[in-house]
Amino acid sequence: MEGTCKATIMDGPAMQRALTRIAHEIVERNEGSTDLALVGIIRRGETLANRLADEMESIQGVRPEIGSLDISFYRDDVTRNIAPVLHATHIPFTVDKRNIILVDDVLFTGRTVRSALNALMDYGRPSKVQLAVMVDRGHRELPIRADFVGKNVPSSHEEDVRVYVTPLDDRDAVEIWDVSSKKKKGGAE
């Protein structure tokens, strides 16, 4: 990825505190965690869902079921991506009549979440779907909002908010990158 890192807005301990807070909010709003299942959007959403499940288990003594969701072929820009990277969706429980917490790293335009909702509905009809994200950066193109947010990060279109999580990355962090020169050169958005 091109660009220049402008700022680190969350380090590993800050991300862990946010996950702990989100887990408490989820448990409180849903009056426990026994009827919940977490579904992480592959890749970083899946890692964050597992960490949330760890936190919820430490709060309630019950680990919610966890699944992962690949949305590659549900995206509205799939035709522009010549060779999308495919991952296996793994939902080892019934979605029907369940309260699902959909987990992702960054909420931006809302298009990824729309794709995830479409993909999830192919597995059944949940009672309720709530959205948990590490970062909400605004700039919605669709009427989608997060129910649980680690940090609101207002940013411009010339900036990219990147969430890093171990073991996928070499660290846990949220950074703002300036990608304006990349877009001026005709780079992808």
Side-chain angles (χ1 to χ4, degrees):
M1 290 186 184
E2 294 182 34
T4 305
C5 182
K6 292 173 64 173
T8 299
I9 55 172
M10 293 179 87
D11 60 8
M15 287 178 67
Q16 185 56 48
R17 286 189 302 274
L19 286 169
T20 300
R21 179 179 44 76
I22 291 170
H24 279 277
E25 290 173 359
I26 290 170
V27 169
E28 184 175 325
R29 189 172 303 168
N30 291 281
E31 298 178 357
S33 61
T34 54
D35 294 331
L36 297 177
L38 304 178
V39 176
I41 299 173
I42 292 177
R43 296 191 8 139
R44 284 166 184 79
E46 178 183 18
T47 300
L48 294 170
N50 277 293
R51 291 185 185 176
L52 278 172
D54 291 344
E55 290 294 322
M56 292 168 70
E57 183 177 21
S58 72
I59 296 165
Q60 292 281 283
V62 176
R63 185 176 179 82
E65 293 185 274
I66 303 171
S68 59
L69 190 62
D70 181 13
I71 62 164
S72 299
F73 287 116
Y74 291 87
R75 296 186 56 90
D76 57 10
D77 61 354
V78 71
T79 57
R80 290 193 279 173
N81 193 351
I82 307 258
V85 178
L86 301 179
H87 302 275
T89 290
H90 179 70
I91 300 180
F93 51 84
T94 182
V95 170
D96 287 322
K97 300 179 182 175
R98 293 292 296 269
N99 290 334
I100 303 292
I101 307 294
L102 191 60
V103 183
D104 202 10
D105 56 348
V106 177
L107 177 57
F108 183 33
T109 62
R111 293 185 180 281
T112 297
V113 174
R114 183 210 46 87
S115 300
L117 289 169
N118 288 345
L120 187 63
M121 294 307 152
D122 280 352
Y123 288 88
R125 184 172 179 179
S127 293
K128 179 173 25 174
V129 178
Q130 298 171 349
L131 177 62
V133 298
M134 180 57 68
V135 172
D136 183 347
R137 62 176 290 197
H139 301 286
R140 226 63 89 236
E141 294 175 5
L142 299 172
I144 291 174
R145 68 168 177 77
D147 299 283
F148 310 100
V149 178
K151 188 168 185 79
N152 287 295
V153 180
S155 57
S156 74
H157 284 283
E158 289 76 36
E159 295 173 325
D160 191 15
V161 176
R162 299 179 187 173
V163 174
Y164 299 94
V165 294
T166 55
L168 298 176
D169 306 301
D170 62 347
R171 67 195 183 284
D172 288 340
V174 177
E175 297 175 349
I176 297 180
W177 284 65
D178 182 355
V179 292
S180 59
S181 61
K182 178 178 152 185
K183 290 183 181 181
K184 289 176 188 172
K185 294 178 187 175
E189 196 169 319

